Amino acid sequence: MTASHPQALAGRVALVTGANTGIGRITARELARQGAQVFIACRSAERAQPVVDEIRAIPGAGAVELLPLDLGDFASVRRCAQAFLDRGLPLHLLINNAGLAGARGATASGFELAFGTNHMGHFLLTQLLLDRLKASAPARVVTVASKAHYRAPGIDWNAVRQPTKSSTGLPEYGVSKLANVLFSAELARRLAGSGVTTYSLHPGVVASDVWRSVPWPLRSLIKLMMISPEQGAATTLHCATSAEAGRESGLYYDRSRPKQPSAVAQDAALAAQLWKRSEDWLR
Ligand SMILES: NC(=O)c1ccc[n+]([C@@H]2O[C@H](COP(=O)([O-])OP(=O)(O)OC[C@H]3O[C@@H](n4cnc5c(N)ncnc54)[C@H](OP(=O)(O)O)[C@@H]3O)[C@@H](O)[C@H]2O)c1
């Protein structure tokens, strides 16, 4: 798979979570522009329709469709996966992009809001689509994490089952992004030899809606360092489409290059424990 030709992804099928805005919107649009059939999995059909219209207006773009998905609600994640599976299509690119930062509370499924949305929702979605990904190999699972994972000292297994404790939600966001990096690495170990490869990444600090819940003084500081959503989608697209990345699996990327994640994120025992606990929580 290579992105150098405009129709390089013709015949490929992609599913992008949270593609109604920000980095996910650009990712879905660029995959479709390269000819992929793209499923946009979002909470709000109303907010996603303009992206569908935008993609349909691109000459030669792949087909695009909406799938309802609320990552905080396991029943919704199951319905989304089933709706995709029922189409009987292959799945070559799963882009676990959706995420929230700096929000507080708990998900409908009873997890800390960031952990439940950013990690648990994508963990379940990936599990449900795994057989289809394997049957479609070569296939890739790209999980948009963050450099915020470097600040997470580990995972407090009790805290992730309770509403957000901190006043900013940012420590919890870091933990959810650590979980994204650990999940992607563990998935690679479990998929070794299957033809399905995995990637986690930091997209850059991007001027998107993700900061909407962060208190203003902090948000204004963060905004000083921001890049555009187009620039922010570059590393996701590299992981999803470049021939070079296709020869790698389980790595963490920044600026379209592999980078060492935190020491905690490289702890294979912790990754295995997160996998086991996530599986148990779904029972
Ligand atoms: N922006 C940055 O600087 C930055 C830095 C590092 C990492 N990231 C990561 O990049 C990814 C994309 O973020 P972005 O910057 O593009 O943010 P964004 O513009 O806020 O987009 C986030 C997307 O996730 C969706 N989402 C949130 N909660 C969801 C849920 N429960 N179910 C389904 N979808 C949900 C949002 O849907 P709604 O519109 O319905 O809320 C939206 O489509 C996230 O994983 C984020 O953590 C971003």
Side-chain angles (χ1 to χ4, degrees), residues 1 10 42 53 60 63 68 71-72 90 93 114 122 126 131 165 168 182 206 210 212 218 224 250 256 259 268 276:
M1 216 180 308
C42 293
D53 296 342
L71 288 160
L93 297 171
H122 283 127
T126 307
D131 285 345
K165 286 211 178 71
T168 61
L182 289 165
V206 181
V210 83
R212 66 191 108 175
L218 251 180
L224 292 175
S256 300
K259 183 176 177 179
K276 174 78 172 61

Side-chain angles (χ1 to χ4, degrees), residues 21-23 205-212 223 226-229:
T21 186
I23 299 164
V205 181
V206 181
S208 71
D209 294 340
V210 83
W211 308 108
R212 66 191 108 175
K223 277 201 160 184
M226 286 186 181
I227 60 174
S228 71

Side-chain angles (χ1 to χ4, degrees), residues 128-233:
L128 296 170
L129 297 175
L130 211 48
D131 285 345
R132 187 62 56 88
L133 284 158
K134 286 186 203 164
S136 313
R140 306 186 191 189
V141 180
V142 181
T143 301
V144 182
S146 169
K147 70 175 180 185
H149 87 269
Y150 287 101
R151 291 197 298 271
I155 302 175
D156 177 334
W157 306 113
N158 291 321
V160 298
R161 301 301 317 265
Q162 289 163 32
T164 316
K165 286 211 178 71
S166 77
S167 58
T168 61
L170 292 178
E172 288 84 354
Y173 176 68
V175 171
S176 77
K177 293 290 148 179
L178 169 64
N180 285 158
V181 181
L182 289 165
F183 161 69
S184 183
E186 179 66 16
L187 184 62
R189 286 188 277 273
R190 289 170 180 256
L191 289 172
S194 69
V196 184
T197 48
T198 81
Y199 311 82
S200 65
L201 65 103
H202 172 60
V205 181
V206 181
S208 71
D209 294 340
V210 83
W211 308 108
R212 66 191 108 175
S213 304
V214 176
W216 172 245
L218 251 180
R219 200 175 348 136
S220 62
L221 267 181
I222 295 168
K223 277 201 160 184
L224 292 175
M225 308 170 284
M226 286 186 181
I227 60 174
S228 71
E230 279 76 8
Q231 292 167 311

Side-chain angles (χ1 to χ4, degrees), residues 7-282:
Q7 288 298 310
L9 301 179
R12 317 300 281 173
V13 181
L15 191 158
V16 186
T17 67
N20 56 292
T21 186
I23 299 164
R25 172 181 150 243
I26 305 299
T27 302
R29 190 185 73 194
E30 293 313 305
L31 293 175
R33 193 195 298 282
Q34 292 172 40
Q37 178 173 359
V38 176
F39 287 81
I40 289 181
C42 293
R43 283 197 280 200
S44 158
E46 196 188 347
R47 284 197 294 276
Q49 192 57 44
V51 183
V52 171
D53 296 342
E54 181 186 14
I55 292 174
R56 288 190 178 146
I58 300 171
V64 56
E65 274 178 63
L66 281 180
L67 286 173
L69 169 69
D70 182 345
L71 288 160
D73 178 353
F74 292 161
S76 168
V77 176
R78 290 183 196 282
R79 282 193 299 274
C80 175
Q82 198 55 51
F84 178 80
L85 294 172
D86 286 348
R87 296 294 306 276
L89 292 165
L91 181 59
H92 304 103
L93 297 171
L94 172 60
I95 316 288
N96 291 327
N97 163 82
L100 47 79
R104 307 179 67 243
T107 64
S109 299
F111 291 82
E112 189 285 318
L113 190 58
F115 185 85
T117 307
N118 302 350
H119 168 65
M120 286 304 295
H122 283 127
F123 179 82
L124 175 57
L125 183 67
T126 307
Q127 296 287 341
L128 296 170
L129 297 175
L130 211 48
D131 285 345
R132 187 62 56 88
L133 284 158
K134 286 186 203 164
S136 313
R140 306 186 191 189
V141 180
V142 181
T143 301
V144 182
S146 169
K147 70 175 180 185
H149 87 269
Y150 287 101
R151 291 197 298 271
I155 302 175
D156 177 334
W157 306 113
N158 291 321
V160 298
R161 301 301 317 265
Q162 289 163 32
T164 316
K165 286 211 178 71
S166 77
S167 58
T168 61
L170 292 178
E172 288 84 354
Y173 176 68
V175 171
S176 77
K177 293 290 148 179
L178 169 64
N180 285 158
V181 181
L182 289 165
F183 161 69
S184 183
E186 179 66 16
L187 184 62
R189 286 188 277 273
R190 289 170 180 256
L191 289 172
S194 69
V196 184
T197 48
T198 81
Y199 311 82
S200 65
L201 65 103
H202 172 60
V205 181
V206 181
S208 71
D209 294 340
V210 83
W211 308 108
R212 66 191 108 175
S213 304
V214 176
W216 172 245
L218 251 180
R219 200 175 348 136
S220 62
L221 267 181
I222 295 168
K223 277 201 160 184
L224 292 175
M225 308 170 284
M226 286 186 181
I227 60 174
S228 71
E230 279 76 8
Q231 292 167 311
T235 302
T236 299
L237 291 166
H238 170 81
C239 293
T241 67
S242 83
E244 191 186 347
R247 293 187 285 274
E248 302 157 348
S249 188
L251 303 180
Y252 170 78
Y253 294 72
D254 191 348
R255 297 178 193 213
S256 300
R257 284 192 297 271
K259 183 176 177 179
Q260 284 241 327
S262 70
V264 188
Q266 295 176 62
D267 182 339
L270 180 62
Q273 204 186 353
L274 173 65
W275 188 282
K276 174 78 172 61
R277 284 184 185 258
S278 301
E279 268 180 347
D280 290 348
W281 286 327
L282 291 172

